[in-house]
Amino acid sequence: MRLLIEKSGGEFKAGLAALEDNRRPAAREKFDRSIEVFLMSGINLNSNNNSRARECYNQLIETIYRIEFPNDKQAPQIRGLSATCNWNIDNAMADKIAKRVMTAPLAEPNLDTNAVQPVSNDLTQGFVEQKFERSALDVLATLELNTIELDVDTPEAQQQIQYISYAVNNNSLGLKFQVHPMIQQYINYYQGRGRSTMETGLYRSGMFMRMARRIFREEGVPENVAWLGQVESMWKPQALSWAAASGLWQFIPGTGARYGLRRTAYLDERNSFEKATQASARYLKFLANRYNGNWELAMAAYNSGEGNVDRAISRAGVANFWIAYPYLPKETRNYVPNILATILIANNPRAYGFGNVRPAPQLTWETVLVPPGTSLSFLAQVSDTSVDFIRYLNPELRAASTPPEPYVVRVPSGKGAEVVAIFRRVPRASQNTAKLTKSVAGESWQNVSNRTGVAVEDLIAANGGAKTPPSKIVVPNSNNVRSTSYQRPTSQPQTTAVASFVTVKARAGDTITSLAKRFGVAPADVANANGFTDVNAKLAAGRAIKIPKR
């Protein structure tokens, strides 16, 4: 557990350093990685045995949220996060960044879901706005190998070239290709200045490679061709290139539509995990058949289109990638040997010096069918997670709700049955506008009514006529609602319009229980009023906490 928290802290501190240098896309990536460390660990953050990790994770989410979306009343508690997680963040840096994000006016977010927001280096626009990440292809298009990388006459390079010949001749990779010095040159690149790129790709491949291999195998495409995804997107489902190619497999809109990937105001299936992977495999199979099983030409056409490859073949006079090479676009000339080098390294990482890279755990989920126009906020509540993680699992969704049709969404593993049960229990009219709260053992409907301000009969109706409060209670939208309590905790002070609570500031070392005891109220009521599930959760000094009036 200690190593897990330290790893997350390393990513968060790197994000702070990038933010201090006004490198906001890098900051966003590092902050996302700091959260991914917890999400991909497989640990149960709700377990009492993992209370320290849970406290660290909850405050990490809150702090990143406050950095990205600051307001004039609540600064990001970077010092408090450092203390909770024991990260030893430099206080001067923490205060400097907190002050800058507090004093920098934020632009209103662009709500045009069809627009890709530009990346600015001005901190006054927040550290990042757009939801897309730069495609690996944009870097590949301009890559120039240096003299060291071009040298394939070293003893080590010659030995590796012999291994390539052996692997191809024995068909151990599942596909045939011509051995060419340029493949080794890209291996040289990845063993040198491109090392971090390869390490990142090998790490992230763990999340999607098992799925990709299965789908490629089912579609009759050699499984190792799936490593094309690493060169295309670095396994980032929301990668976007300058040419408007998007997703793990970098489909441009036209090709995506050709293979059945829908684009509407609500979704862009080029960013889907399974659908885009299947479309990619089918397109590659079509291209391989077009070029009589020549995978080098098929990959080239995947990158630049059949027309460019056909013209290059016509000029070369033979259907051979390396002979047609001079007549292809520069990006495509880099692209094919890059993929072949990636396949070779990925199949024998230790031999190429990457034995230290441990792939990320497979990204797992369960799927559920939800009603048309389901709010992602409500879906996050019923599946015990955040809207950010719902979007992470469903990158094809472009709006704040699912499409206006019954739609299959991914939810965290282990939550599918519970989500289905709640949707079956809750009337359609109560979904999306409602909030959730958790019941306390032995609590009656009258107790719930007292603390939420919603009539007993309305609560029962919104919960499918349940005779006793279930563990998760749907609280229908009402002007009288006082405590809905199941959203992610917020540090913003409450407005004076809520007359049934007083707002106090937590002291250093306070917990929900100690605060409740100080004011003579039940810990469960304080927890419910502030969105906590753990009454022993430590609170950052100065955090605004609602206390129910007695």
Side-chain angles (χ1 to χ4, degrees), residues 50-100:
N50 299 324
S51 59
R52 183 185 169 217
R54 179 172 63 249
E55 291 165 8
C56 180
Y57 172 76
N58 286 339
Q59 194 159 347
L60 174 65
I61 293 288
E62 180 73 19
T63 302
I64 292 175
Y65 180 82
R66 290 297 167 207
I67 292 174
E68 186 169 6
F69 302 107
N71 62 60
D72 58 1
K73 295 184 177 68
Q74 182 63 49
Q77 300 294 319
I78 300 173
R79 281 200 188 196
L81 174 65
S82 177
T84 298
C85 301
N86 194 27
W87 281 347
N88 297 318
I89 296 172
D90 180 74
N91 286 339
M93 174 191 280
D95 293 343
K96 178 181 178 182
I97 290 176
K99 182 178 179 180
R100 290 178 71 183

Side-chain angles (χ1 to χ4, degrees), residues 483-521:
S483 171
T484 51
S485 75
Y486 201 71
Q487 299 177 28
R488 183 179 58 79
T490 175
S491 298
Q492 295 187 17
Q494 295 296 311
T495 64
T496 56
V498 183
S500 56
F501 296 93
V502 293
T503 301
V504 301
K505 297 288 187 179
R507 303 170 186 169
D510 269 345
T511 64
I512 292 293
T513 297
S514 66
L515 264 180
K517 184 177 180 181
R518 189 183 309 154
F519 289 92
V521 294

Side-chain angles (χ1 to χ4, degrees), residues 116 131-138 228 231-234 236-257 261 263 268-272 276 283 302-305 331 335:
V116 177
K131 296 179 180 179
F132 294 96
E133 303 175 68
R134 187 183 183 191
S135 168
L137 291 179
D138 290 351
L228 173 147
V231 176
E232 287 283 343
S233 68
M234 200 64 68
K236 294 180 179 180
Q238 290 183 318
L240 183 71
S241 78
W242 66 270
S246 187
L248 286 172
W249 307 98
Q250 290 291 281
F251 277 103
I252 60 173
T255 309
L261 301 178
R263 292 179 74 233
D268 186 342
E269 290 181 339
R270 295 180 302 160
N271 298 107
S272 168
Y283 184 33
Y302 189 97
N303 176 253
S304 63
E331 179 183 324
Y335 180 83

Side-chain angles (χ1 to χ4, degrees), residues 160-463:
Q160 291 175 351
I161 290 173
Q162 289 179 8
Y163 166 74
I164 297 173
S165 299
Y166 178 81
V168 172
N169 291 333
N170 285 277
N171 200 30
S172 60
L173 299 173
L175 70 155
K176 293 284 188 179
F177 57 89
Q178 184 177 334
V179 179
H180 190 278
M182 185 169 283
I183 301 172
Q184 182 60 43
Q185 290 169 353
Y186 273 94
I187 291 174
N188 292 347
Y189 165 74
Y190 283 123
Q191 290 177 319
R193 63 186 172 122
R195 173 170 289 277
S196 63
T197 300
M198 178 59 66
E199 288 178 339
T200 299
L202 291 177
Y203 168 78
R204 291 187 61 85
S205 72
M207 291 189 280
F208 301 105
M209 198 59 188
R210 185 180 299 179
M211 173 200 71
R213 283 185 178 277
R214 173 181 58 79
I215 291 175
F216 273 51
R217 181 172 63 251
E218 290 171 352
E219 295 294 333
V221 177
E223 293 181 31
N224 270 316
V225 177
W227 285 104
L228 173 147
Q230 180 158 318
V231 176
E232 287 283 343
S233 68
M234 200 64 68
W235 303 110
K236 294 180 179 180
Q238 290 183 318
L240 183 71
S241 78
W242 66 270
S246 187
L248 286 172
W249 307 98
Q250 290 291 281
F251 277 103
I252 60 173
T255 309
R258 178 175 157 192
Y259 282 86
L261 301 178
R262 294 185 295 165
R263 292 179 74 233
T264 70
Y266 293 93
L267 62 108
D268 186 342
E269 290 181 339
R270 295 180 302 160
N271 298 107
S272 168
F273 297 153
E274 302 95 333
K275 290 181 180 179
T277 303
Q278 186 178 59
S280 175
R282 289 177 177 176
Y283 184 33
L284 283 162
K285 186 175 182 179
F286 163 79
L287 293 170
N289 289 336
R290 181 185 183 94
Y291 297 112
N292 298 314
N294 187 310
W295 282 104
E296 292 138 302
L297 291 173
M299 292 174 186
Y302 189 97
N303 176 253
S304 63
E306 302 99 297
N308 279 327
V309 173
D310 289 350
R311 284 188 290 273
I313 292 172
S314 178
R315 295 179 69 182
V318 60
N320 181 292
F321 173 80
W322 299 107
I323 297 176
Y325 178 90
Y327 309 111
L328 289 165
K330 178 180 178 181
E331 179 183 324
T332 308
R333 297 200 300 265
N334 290 347
Y335 180 83
V336 173
N338 198 317
I339 293 174
L340 297 176
T342 299
I343 290 173
L344 288 158
I345 293 172
N347 276 269
N348 198 353
R350 188 172 299 279
Y352 290 102
F354 293 94
N356 62 306
V357 180
R358 182 181 180 184
Q362 180 186 2
L363 185 60
T364 59
W365 57 81
E366 294 179 4
T367 56
V368 296
L369 181 67
V370 297
T374 294
S375 161
L376 300 192
S377 175
F378 186 75
L379 185 61
Q381 292 180 70
V382 299
S383 55
D384 289 320
T385 189
S386 65
V387 172
D388 280 347
F389 195 51
I390 291 295
R391 288 193 176 281
Y392 189 91
L393 290 177
N394 298 274
E396 70 273 21
L397 297 179
R398 305 177 71 183
S401 62
T402 61
E405 63 190 53
Y407 193 78
V408 175
V409 295
R410 304 175 197 88
V411 296
S413 291
K415 294 296 179 181
E418 187 176 10
V419 170
V420 170
I422 291 176
F423 272 96
R424 285 177 177 171
R425 167 165 55 87
V426 180
R428 182 72 181 93
S430 297
Q431 295 171 11
N432 299 341
T433 59
K435 304 295 182 184
L436 292 190
T437 185
K438 281 193 173 180
S439 64
V440 180
E443 193 172 26
S444 67
W445 280 121
Q446 188 59 57
N447 293 140
V448 179
S449 175
N450 291 344
R451 64 181 169 85
T452 61
V454 178
V456 169
E457 57 269 24
D458 292 339
L459 288 168
I460 292 175
N463 288 273

